[in-house]
mmCIF file of all heavy atoms in Angstrom:
data_model
loop_
_atom_site.group_PDB
_atom_site.id
_atom_site.type_symbol
_atom_site.label_atom_id
_atom_site.label_comp_id
_atom_site.label_asym_id
_atom_site.label_seq_id
_atom_site.Cartn_x
_atom_site.Cartn_y
_atom_site.Cartn_z
ATOM 1 N N ALA A 1 -13.005 9.928 36.817
ATOM 2 C CA ALA A 1 -13.751 10.317 35.607
ATOM 3 C C ALA A 1 -13.024 9.862 34.347
ATOM 4 O O ALA A 1 -13.652 9.375 33.395
ATOM 5 C CB ALA A 1 -13.933 11.840 35.592
ATOM 6 N N LYS A 2 -11.680 9.986 34.332
ATOM 7 C CA LYS A 2 -10.897 9.517 33.185
ATOM 8 C C LYS A 2 -11.052 8.019 32.982
ATOM 9 O O LYS A 2 -11.216 7.523 31.861
ATOM 10 C CB LYS A 2 -9.425 9.852 33.388
ATOM 11 C CG LYS A 2 -9.064 11.277 33.029
ATOM 12 C CD LYS A 2 -7.563 11.486 33.187
ATOM 13 C CE LYS A 2 -7.193 12.929 32.893
ATOM 14 N NZ LYS A 2 -5.742 13.151 33.067
ATOM 15 N N LYS A 3 -10.975 7.255 34.088
ATOM 16 C CA LYS A 3 -11.117 5.791 33.992
ATOM 17 C C LYS A 3 -12.482 5.402 33.449
ATOM 18 O O LYS A 3 -12.612 4.473 32.651
ATOM 19 C CB LYS A 3 -10.890 5.168 35.367
ATOM 20 C CG LYS A 3 -9.430 5.134 35.776
ATOM 21 C CD LYS A 3 -9.263 4.485 37.129
ATOM 22 C CE LYS A 3 -7.810 4.476 37.546
ATOM 23 N NZ LYS A 3 -7.617 3.905 38.889
ATOM 24 N N ARG A 4 -13.521 6.120 33.906
ATOM 25 C CA ARG A 4 -14.874 5.810 33.412
ATOM 26 C C ARG A 4 -14.975 6.070 31.916
ATOM 27 O O ARG A 4 -15.572 5.288 31.168
ATOM 28 C CB ARG A 4 -15.894 6.664 34.162
ATOM 29 C CG ARG A 4 -16.113 6.240 35.598
ATOM 30 C CD ARG A 4 -17.350 6.885 36.177
ATOM 31 N NE ARG A 4 -17.403 6.748 37.618
ATOM 32 C CZ ARG A 4 -17.056 7.710 38.477
ATOM 33 N NH1 ARG A 4 -16.651 8.894 38.031
ATOM 34 N NH2 ARG A 4 -17.129 7.495 39.776
ATOM 35 N N ASN A 5 -14.369 7.170 31.454
ATOM 36 C CA ASN A 5 -14.384 7.477 30.012
ATOM 37 C C ASN A 5 -13.638 6.424 29.207
ATOM 38 O O ASN A 5 -14.081 6.009 28.129
ATOM 39 C CB ASN A 5 -13.756 8.850 29.767
ATOM 40 C CG ASN A 5 -14.618 9.984 30.308
ATOM 41 O OD1 ASN A 5 -15.843 9.852 30.354
ATOM 42 N ND2 ASN A 5 -13.994 11.061 30.729
ATOM 43 N N GLN A 6 -12.494 5.963 29.735
ATOM 44 C CA GLN A 6 -11.733 4.925 29.037
ATOM 45 C C GLN A 6 -12.516 3.627 28.935
ATOM 46 O O GLN A 6 -12.515 2.952 27.908
ATOM 47 C CB GLN A 6 -10.406 4.683 29.753
ATOM 48 C CG GLN A 6 -9.394 5.797 29.558
ATOM 49 C CD GLN A 6 -8.140 5.579 30.370
ATOM 50 O OE1 GLN A 6 -8.026 4.580 31.074
ATOM 51 N NE2 GLN A 6 -7.214 6.527 30.288
ATOM 52 N N GLN A 7 -13.178 3.243 30.047
ATOM 53 C CA GLN A 7 -13.991 2.023 30.013
ATOM 54 C C GLN A 7 -15.143 2.144 29.026
ATOM 55 O O GLN A 7 -15.489 1.185 28.333
ATOM 56 C CB GLN A 7 -14.523 1.732 31.415
ATOM 57 C CG GLN A 7 -13.449 1.230 32.367
ATOM 58 C CD GLN A 7 -13.975 1.052 33.768
ATOM 59 O OE1 GLN A 7 -15.147 1.324 34.046
ATOM 60 N NE2 GLN A 7 -13.106 0.596 34.661
ATOM 61 N N ALA A 8 -15.739 3.333 28.954
ATOM 62 C CA ALA A 8 -16.833 3.536 28.002
ATOM 63 C C ALA A 8 -16.320 3.445 26.566
ATOM 64 O O ALA A 8 -16.995 2.887 25.692
ATOM 65 C CB ALA A 8 -17.482 4.899 28.242
ATOM 66 N N ASN A 9 -15.123 3.945 26.304
ATOM 67 C CA ASN A 9 -14.553 3.864 24.955
ATOM 68 C C ASN A 9 -14.166 2.435 24.595
ATOM 69 O O ASN A 9 -14.268 2.020 23.448
ATOM 70 C CB ASN A 9 -13.326 4.767 24.855
ATOM 71 C CG ASN A 9 -13.693 6.235 24.947
ATOM 72 O OD1 ASN A 9 -14.798 6.620 24.552
ATOM 73 N ND2 ASN A 9 -12.794 7.050 25.481
ATOM 74 N N LYS A 10 -13.715 1.680 25.605
ATOM 75 C CA LYS A 10 -13.302 0.293 25.341
ATOM 76 C C LYS A 10 -14.486 -0.585 24.942
ATOM 77 O O LYS A 10 -14.323 -1.598 24.273
ATOM 78 C CB LYS A 10 -12.623 -0.293 26.571
ATOM 79 C CG LYS A 10 -11.174 0.123 26.699
ATOM 80 C CD LYS A 10 -10.544 -0.514 27.918
ATOM 81 C CE LYS A 10 -9.100 -0.076 28.057
ATOM 82 N NZ LYS A 10 -8.472 -0.649 29.255
ATOM 83 N N LYS A 11 -15.670 -0.224 25.389
ATOM 84 C CA LYS A 11 -16.850 -1.031 25.055
ATOM 85 C C LYS A 11 -17.134 -1.029 23.557
ATOM 86 O O LYS A 11 -17.724 -1.961 23.037
ATOM 87 C CB LYS A 11 -18.062 -0.511 25.821
ATOM 88 C CG LYS A 11 -18.025 -0.864 27.294
ATOM 89 C CD LYS A 11 -19.240 -0.323 28.018
ATOM 90 C CE LYS A 11 -19.172 -0.659 29.502
ATOM 91 N NZ LYS A 11 -20.331 -0.108 30.234
ATOM 92 N N ASP A 12 -16.692 -0.007 22.856
ATOM 93 C CA ASP A 12 -16.901 0.070 21.409
ATOM 94 C C ASP A 12 -15.977 -0.937 20.725
ATOM 95 O O ASP A 12 -14.760 -0.873 20.889
ATOM 96 C CB ASP A 12 -16.577 1.485 20.920
ATOM 97 C CG ASP A 12 -16.965 1.693 19.462
ATOM 98 O OD1 ASP A 12 -17.553 0.761 18.890
ATOM 99 O OD2 ASP A 12 -16.673 2.766 18.913
ATOM 100 N N PRO A 13 -16.504 -1.944 19.979
ATOM 101 C CA PRO A 13 -15.648 -2.996 19.401
ATOM 102 C C PRO A 13 -14.682 -2.464 18.358
ATOM 103 O O PRO A 13 -13.577 -2.959 18.221
ATOM 104 C CB PRO A 13 -16.650 -3.969 18.782
ATOM 105 C CG PRO A 13 -17.869 -3.147 18.521
ATOM 106 C CD PRO A 13 -17.916 -2.122 19.612
ATOM 107 N N GLY A 14 -15.097 -1.432 17.611
ATOM 108 C CA GLY A 14 -14.200 -0.885 16.593
ATOM 109 C C GLY A 14 -12.949 -0.295 17.218
ATOM 110 O O GLY A 14 -11.838 -0.499 16.739
ATOM 111 N N ASP A 15 -13.139 0.449 18.341
ATOM 112 C CA ASP A 15 -11.991 1.036 19.026
ATOM 113 C C ASP A 15 -11.102 -0.050 19.611
ATOM 114 O O ASP A 15 -9.879 0.059 19.609
ATOM 115 C CB ASP A 15 -12.468 1.970 20.144
ATOM 116 C CG ASP A 15 -13.168 3.196 19.575
ATOM 117 O OD1 ASP A 15 -13.006 3.456 18.372
ATOM 118 O OD2 ASP A 15 -13.880 3.879 20.339
ATOM 119 N N LYS A 16 -11.723 -1.120 20.144
ATOM 120 C CA LYS A 16 -10.940 -2.208 20.731
ATOM 121 C C LYS A 16 -10.058 -2.850 19.677
ATOM 122 O O LYS A 16 -8.869 -3.117 19.910
ATOM 123 C CB LYS A 16 -11.889 -3.250 21.329
ATOM 124 C CG LYS A 16 -11.179 -4.313 22.145
ATOM 125 C CD LYS A 16 -12.131 -5.386 22.616
ATOM 126 C CE LYS A 16 -12.888 -4.939 23.828
ATOM 127 N NZ LYS A 16 -13.716 -6.023 24.389
ATOM 128 N N LYS A 17 -10.621 -3.108 18.495
ATOM 129 C CA LYS A 17 -9.831 -3.722 17.426
ATOM 130 C C LYS A 17 -8.700 -2.806 16.984
ATOM 131 O O LYS A 17 -7.579 -3.246 16.736
ATOM 132 C CB LYS A 17 -10.733 -4.057 16.243
ATOM 133 C CG LYS A 17 -11.624 -5.258 16.491
ATOM 134 C CD LYS A 17 -12.371 -5.638 15.240
ATOM 135 C CE LYS A 17 -13.214 -6.889 15.480
ATOM 136 N NZ LYS A 17 -13.922 -7.300 14.261
ATOM 137 N N SER A 18 -8.983 -1.522 16.903
ATOM 138 C CA SER A 18 -7.941 -0.586 16.455
ATOM 139 C C SER A 18 -6.804 -0.515 17.460
ATOM 140 O O SER A 18 -5.629 -0.491 17.085
ATOM 141 C CB SER A 18 -8.549 0.799 16.262
ATOM 142 O OG SER A 18 -9.023 1.316 17.493
ATOM 143 N N THR A 19 -7.132 -0.520 18.779
ATOM 144 C CA THR A 19 -6.072 -0.455 19.791
ATOM 145 C C THR A 19 -5.222 -1.716 19.766
ATOM 146 O O THR A 19 -3.991 -1.655 19.871
ATOM 147 C CB THR A 19 -6.680 -0.282 21.188
ATOM 148 O OG1 THR A 19 -7.682 -1.290 21.395
ATOM 149 C CG2 THR A 19 -7.281 1.104 21.352
ATOM 150 N N THR A 20 -5.850 -2.894 19.627
ATOM 151 C CA THR A 20 -5.082 -4.146 19.582
ATOM 152 C C THR A 20 -4.178 -4.189 18.358
ATOM 153 O O THR A 20 -3.028 -4.639 18.435
ATOM 154 C CB THR A 20 -6.029 -5.355 19.565
ATOM 155 O OG1 THR A 20 -6.985 -5.184 18.505
ATOM 156 C CG2 THR A 20 -6.740 -5.502 20.887
ATOM 157 N N LYS A 21 -4.698 -3.706 17.220
ATOM 158 C CA LYS A 21 -3.875 -3.681 16.000
ATOM 159 C C LYS A 21 -2.687 -2.737 16.146
ATOM 160 O O LYS A 21 -1.578 -3.042 15.711
ATOM 161 C CB LYS A 21 -4.737 -3.254 14.810
ATOM 162 C CG LYS A 21 -5.632 -4.371 14.298
ATOM 163 C CD LYS A 21 -6.564 -3.849 13.238
ATOM 164 C CE LYS A 21 -7.552 -4.943 12.817
ATOM 165 N NZ LYS A 21 -8.543 -4.437 11.872
ATOM 166 N N GLN A 22 -2.932 -1.596 16.784
ATOM 167 C CA GLN A 22 -1.833 -0.655 16.995
ATOM 168 C C GLN A 22 -0.760 -1.260 17.891
ATOM 169 O O GLN A 22 0.435 -1.094 17.644
ATOM 170 C CB GLN A 22 -2.369 0.629 17.633
ATOM 171 C CG GLN A 22 -3.133 1.523 16.649
ATOM 172 C CD GLN A 22 -3.751 2.709 17.334
ATOM 173 O OE1 GLN A 22 -3.602 2.885 18.535
ATOM 174 N NE2 GLN A 22 -4.476 3.509 16.560
ATOM 175 N N LYS A 23 -1.169 -1.983 18.938
ATOM 176 C CA LYS A 23 -0.197 -2.625 19.820
ATOM 177 C C LYS A 23 0.612 -3.671 19.070
ATOM 178 O O LYS A 23 1.840 -3.757 19.213
ATOM 179 C CB LYS A 23 -0.918 -3.283 21.006
ATOM 180 C CG LYS A 23 -1.400 -2.294 22.051
ATOM 181 C CD LYS A 23 -2.103 -3.026 23.166
ATOM 182 C CE LYS A 23 -2.632 -2.037 24.201
ATOM 183 N NZ LYS A 23 -3.375 -2.733 25.278
ATOM 184 N N MET A 24 -0.083 -4.505 18.265
ATOM 185 C CA MET A 24 0.615 -5.536 17.500
ATOM 186 C C MET A 24 1.609 -4.915 16.530
ATOM 187 O O MET A 24 2.737 -5.398 16.368
ATOM 188 C CB MET A 24 -0.397 -6.389 16.736
ATOM 189 C CG MET A 24 -1.240 -7.279 17.634
ATOM 190 S SD MET A 24 -0.278 -8.593 18.404
ATOM 191 C CE MET A 24 0.053 -9.612 16.974
ATOM 192 N N LYS A 25 1.201 -3.827 15.883
ATOM 193 C CA LYS A 25 2.091 -3.160 14.932
ATOM 194 C C LYS A 25 3.314 -2.590 15.636
ATOM 195 O O LYS A 25 4.439 -2.669 15.131
ATOM 196 C CB LYS A 25 1.341 -2.043 14.208
ATOM 197 C CG LYS A 25 0.472 -2.551 13.064
ATOM 198 C CD LYS A 25 -0.141 -1.385 12.326
ATOM 199 C CE LYS A 25 -0.991 -1.888 11.147
ATOM 200 N NZ LYS A 25 -1.614 -0.784 10.421
ATOM 201 N N SER A 26 3.095 -2.008 16.807
ATOM 202 C CA SER A 26 4.228 -1.419 17.546
ATOM 203 C C SER A 26 5.213 -2.497 17.973
ATOM 204 O O SER A 26 6.433 -2.314 17.882
ATOM 205 C CB SER A 26 3.722 -0.675 18.773
ATOM 206 O OG SER A 26 3.076 -1.560 19.655
ATOM 207 N N ILE A 27 4.690 -3.674 18.423
ATOM 208 C CA ILE A 27 5.571 -4.781 18.821
ATOM 209 C C ILE A 27 6.374 -5.275 17.629
ATOM 210 O O ILE A 27 7.588 -5.515 17.719
ATOM 211 C CB ILE A 27 4.736 -5.922 19.444
ATOM 212 C CG1 ILE A 27 4.171 -5.490 20.805
ATOM 213 C CG2 ILE A 27 5.573 -7.189 19.607
ATOM 214 C CD1 ILE A 27 3.046 -6.348 21.289
ATOM 215 N N GLN A 28 5.685 -5.454 16.472
ATOM 216 C CA GLN A 28 6.391 -5.910 15.271
ATOM 217 C C GLN A 28 7.434 -4.898 14.810
ATOM 218 O O GLN A 28 8.524 -5.269 14.370
ATOM 219 C CB GLN A 28 5.384 -6.163 14.146
ATOM 220 C CG GLN A 28 4.549 -7.417 14.352
ATOM 221 C CD GLN A 28 3.536 -7.603 13.245
ATOM 222 O OE1 GLN A 28 3.440 -6.785 12.336
ATOM 223 N NE2 GLN A 28 2.772 -8.680 13.331
ATOM 224 N N GLN A 29 7.111 -3.592 14.960
ATOM 225 C CA GLN A 29 8.061 -2.556 14.538
ATOM 226 C C GLN A 29 9.301 -2.577 15.414
ATOM 227 O O GLN A 29 10.426 -2.431 14.918
ATOM 228 C CB GLN A 29 7.383 -1.184 14.630
ATOM 229 C CG GLN A 29 8.154 -0.065 13.916
ATOM 230 C CD GLN A 29 8.158 -0.242 12.411
ATOM 231 O OE1 GLN A 29 7.265 -0.875 11.859
ATOM 232 N NE2 GLN A 29 9.172 0.284 11.763
ATOM 233 N N VAL A 30 9.103 -2.782 16.738
ATOM 234 C CA VAL A 30 10.250 -2.843 17.658
ATOM 235 C C VAL A 30 11.136 -4.029 17.319
ATOM 236 O O VAL A 30 12.369 -3.939 17.285
ATOM 237 C CB VAL A 30 9.746 -2.922 19.123
ATOM 238 C CG1 VAL A 30 10.877 -3.303 20.059
ATOM 239 C CG2 VAL A 30 9.143 -1.597 19.539
ATOM 240 N N GLN A 31 10.498 -5.219 17.076
ATOM 241 C CA GLN A 31 11.279 -6.407 16.721
ATOM 242 C C GLN A 31 12.035 -6.189 15.416
ATOM 243 O O GLN A 31 13.200 -6.575 15.282
ATOM 244 C CB GLN A 31 10.354 -7.622 16.600
ATOM 245 C CG GLN A 31 9.802 -8.093 17.939
ATOM 246 C CD GLN A 31 8.850 -9.254 17.780
ATOM 247 O OE1 GLN A 31 8.504 -9.639 16.661
ATOM 248 N NE2 GLN A 31 8.410 -9.812 18.888
ATOM 249 N N LYS A 32 11.363 -5.557 14.447
ATOM 250 C CA LYS A 32 12.003 -5.318 13.152
ATOM 251 C C LYS A 32 13.197 -4.378 13.312
ATOM 252 O O LYS A 32 14.278 -4.604 12.748
ATOM 253 C CB LYS A 32 10.973 -4.715 12.199
ATOM 254 C CG LYS A 32 11.461 -4.575 10.759
ATOM 255 C CD LYS A 32 10.370 -3.973 9.912
ATOM 256 C CE LYS A 32 10.858 -3.678 8.508
ATOM 257 N NZ LYS A 32 9.843 -3.032 7.700
ATOM 258 N N ASN A 33 13.014 -3.298 14.100
ATOM 259 C CA ASN A 33 14.106 -2.350 14.320
ATOM 260 C C ASN A 33 15.278 -3.001 15.020
ATOM 261 O O ASN A 33 16.440 -2.726 14.703
ATOM 262 C CB ASN A 33 13.595 -1.157 15.140
ATOM 263 C CG ASN A 33 12.627 -0.300 14.346
ATOM 264 O OD1 ASN A 33 12.654 -0.297 13.124
ATOM 265 N ND2 ASN A 33 11.754 0.401 15.044
ATOM 266 N N SER A 34 14.981 -3.877 16.014
ATOM 267 C CA SER A 34 16.072 -4.547 16.737
ATOM 268 C C SER A 34 16.846 -5.468 15.796
ATOM 269 O O SER A 34 18.086 -5.512 15.835
ATOM 270 C CB SER A 34 15.506 -5.348 17.909
ATOM 271 O OG SER A 34 14.672 -6.397 17.438
ATOM 272 N N LYS A 35 16.128 -6.186 14.910
ATOM 273 C CA LYS A 35 16.817 -7.065 13.960
ATOM 274 C C LYS A 35 17.656 -6.257 12.978
ATOM 275 O O LYS A 35 18.787 -6.635 12.648
ATOM 276 C CB LYS A 35 15.782 -7.915 13.203
ATOM 277 C CG LYS A 35 15.177 -9.023 14.052
ATOM 278 C CD LYS A 35 14.204 -9.846 13.253
ATOM 279 C CE LYS A 35 13.612 -10.960 14.112
ATOM 280 N NZ LYS A 35 12.658 -11.776 13.349
ATOM 281 N N ASN A 36 17.122 -5.137 12.510
ATOM 282 C CA ASN A 36 17.878 -4.289 11.597
ATOM 283 C C ASN A 36 19.142 -3.744 12.247
ATOM 284 O O ASN A 36 20.214 -3.703 11.629
ATOM 285 C CB ASN A 36 17.008 -3.115 11.121
ATOM 286 C CG ASN A 36 15.877 -3.576 10.207
ATOM 287 O OD1 ASN A 36 15.896 -4.701 9.724
ATOM 288 N ND2 ASN A 36 14.898 -2.725 9.988
ATOM 289 N N SER A 37 19.019 -3.334 13.525
ATOM 290 C CA SER A 37 20.195 -2.806 14.222
ATOM 291 C C SER A 37 21.236 -3.902 14.419
ATOM 292 O O SER A 37 22.443 -3.657 14.297
ATOM 293 C CB SER A 37 19.779 -2.227 15.575
ATOM 294 O OG SER A 37 19.298 -3.253 16.423
ATOM 295 N N PHE A 38 20.790 -5.136 14.711
ATOM 296 C CA PHE A 38 21.720 -6.253 14.880
ATOM 297 C C PHE A 38 22.494 -6.495 13.594
ATOM 298 O O PHE A 38 23.716 -6.690 13.613
ATOM 299 C CB PHE A 38 20.958 -7.518 15.279
ATOM 300 C CG PHE A 38 20.724 -7.648 16.761
ATOM 301 C CD1 PHE A 38 20.458 -6.527 17.533
ATOM 302 C CD2 PHE A 38 20.754 -8.877 17.388
ATOM 303 C CE1 PHE A 38 20.235 -6.625 18.891
ATOM 304 C CE2 PHE A 38 20.539 -8.989 18.746
ATOM 305 C CZ PHE A 38 20.267 -7.856 19.495
ATOM 306 N N CYS A 39 21.778 -6.488 12.456
ATOM 307 C CA CYS A 39 22.439 -6.717 11.162
ATOM 308 C C CYS A 39 23.432 -5.603 10.850
ATOM 309 O O CYS A 39 24.539 -5.862 10.360
ATOM 310 C CB CYS A 39 21.393 -6.815 10.051
ATOM 311 S SG CYS A 39 20.330 -8.258 10.156
ATOM 312 N N GLY A 40 23.053 -4.357 11.159
ATOM 313 C CA GLY A 40 23.958 -3.242 10.900
ATOM 314 C C GLY A 40 25.222 -3.311 11.735
ATOM 315 O O GLY A 40 26.338 -3.103 11.230
ATOM 316 N N GLU A 41 25.079 -3.642 13.025
ATOM 317 C CA GLU A 41 26.247 -3.762 13.909
ATOM 318 C C GLU A 41 27.127 -4.933 13.491
ATOM 319 O O GLU A 41 28.361 -4.858 13.564
ATOM 320 C CB GLU A 41 25.780 -3.946 15.356
ATOM 321 C CG GLU A 41 25.019 -2.778 15.939
ATOM 322 C CD GLU A 41 25.900 -1.564 16.178
ATOM 323 O OE1 GLU A 41 26.977 -1.728 16.757
ATOM 324 O OE2 GLU A 41 25.510 -0.477 15.745
ATOM 325 N N PHE A 42 26.500 -6.017 13.057
ATOM 326 C CA PHE A 42 27.249 -7.198 12.619
ATOM 327 C C PHE A 42 28.122 -6.855 11.397
ATOM 328 O O PHE A 42 29.294 -7.244 11.319
ATOM 329 C CB PHE A 42 26.261 -8.318 12.289
ATOM 330 C CG PHE A 42 26.899 -9.577 11.785
ATOM 331 C CD1 PHE A 42 27.566 -10.425 12.645
ATOM 332 C CD2 PHE A 42 26.843 -9.919 10.441
ATOM 333 C CE1 PHE A 42 28.160 -11.585 12.178
ATOM 334 C CE2 PHE A 42 27.426 -11.067 9.969
ATOM 335 C CZ PHE A 42 28.085 -11.907 10.847
ATOM 336 N N LYS A 43 27.555 -6.092 10.451
ATOM 337 C CA LYS A 43 28.316 -5.691 9.261
ATOM 338 C C LYS A 43 29.486 -4.777 9.634
ATOM 339 O O LYS A 43 30.569 -4.868 9.049
ATOM 340 C CB LYS A 43 27.399 -4.984 8.267
ATOM 341 C CG LYS A 43 26.586 -5.934 7.419
ATOM 342 C CD LYS A 43 25.837 -5.160 6.360
ATOM 343 C CE LYS A 43 25.139 -6.115 5.417
ATOM 344 N NZ LYS A 43 24.419 -5.396 4.355
ATOM 345 N N LYS A 44 29.270 -3.888 10.602
ATOM 346 C CA LYS A 44 30.342 -3.001 11.050
ATOM 347 C C LYS A 44 31.522 -3.793 11.590
ATOM 348 O O LYS A 44 32.687 -3.473 11.312
ATOM 349 C CB LYS A 44 29.822 -2.067 12.148
ATOM 350 C CG LYS A 44 28.953 -0.935 11.652
ATOM 351 C CD LYS A 44 28.498 -0.104 12.831
ATOM 352 C CE LYS A 44 27.456 0.933 12.395
ATOM 353 N NZ LYS A 44 26.939 1.688 13.554
#
């Protein structure tokens, strides 16, 4: 039943775009945090 509900929600294009944008933002945030930590450790 959960899988069926998820598939029904995915059919909505607005929700699909929002989920893809959230994933892209999370990936960029992780990369940004890793670069910031590298710079901080390098300065130390």
Side-chain angles (χ1 to χ4, degrees):
K2 278 183 183 179
K3 285 181 181 177
R4 288 194 194 100
N5 291 330
Q6 287 175 1
Q7 287 176 359
N9 292 331
K10 279 181 181 178
K11 286 180 181 178
D12 188 4
D15 293 344
K16 189 185 280 186
K17 286 187 177 182
S18 64
T19 52
T20 52
K21 283 173 185 175
Q22 285 175 1
K23 285 179 182 178
M24 290 292 290
K25 280 185 179 179
S26 62
I27 291 163
Q28 287 178 359
Q29 193 68 25
V30 167
Q31 290 178 353
K32 187 180 174 183
N33 291 336
S34 64
K35 286 182 180 180
N36 291 346
S37 65
F38 274 36
C39 293
E41 296 290 312
F42 178 75
K43 279 187 174 181
K44 284 179 188 176

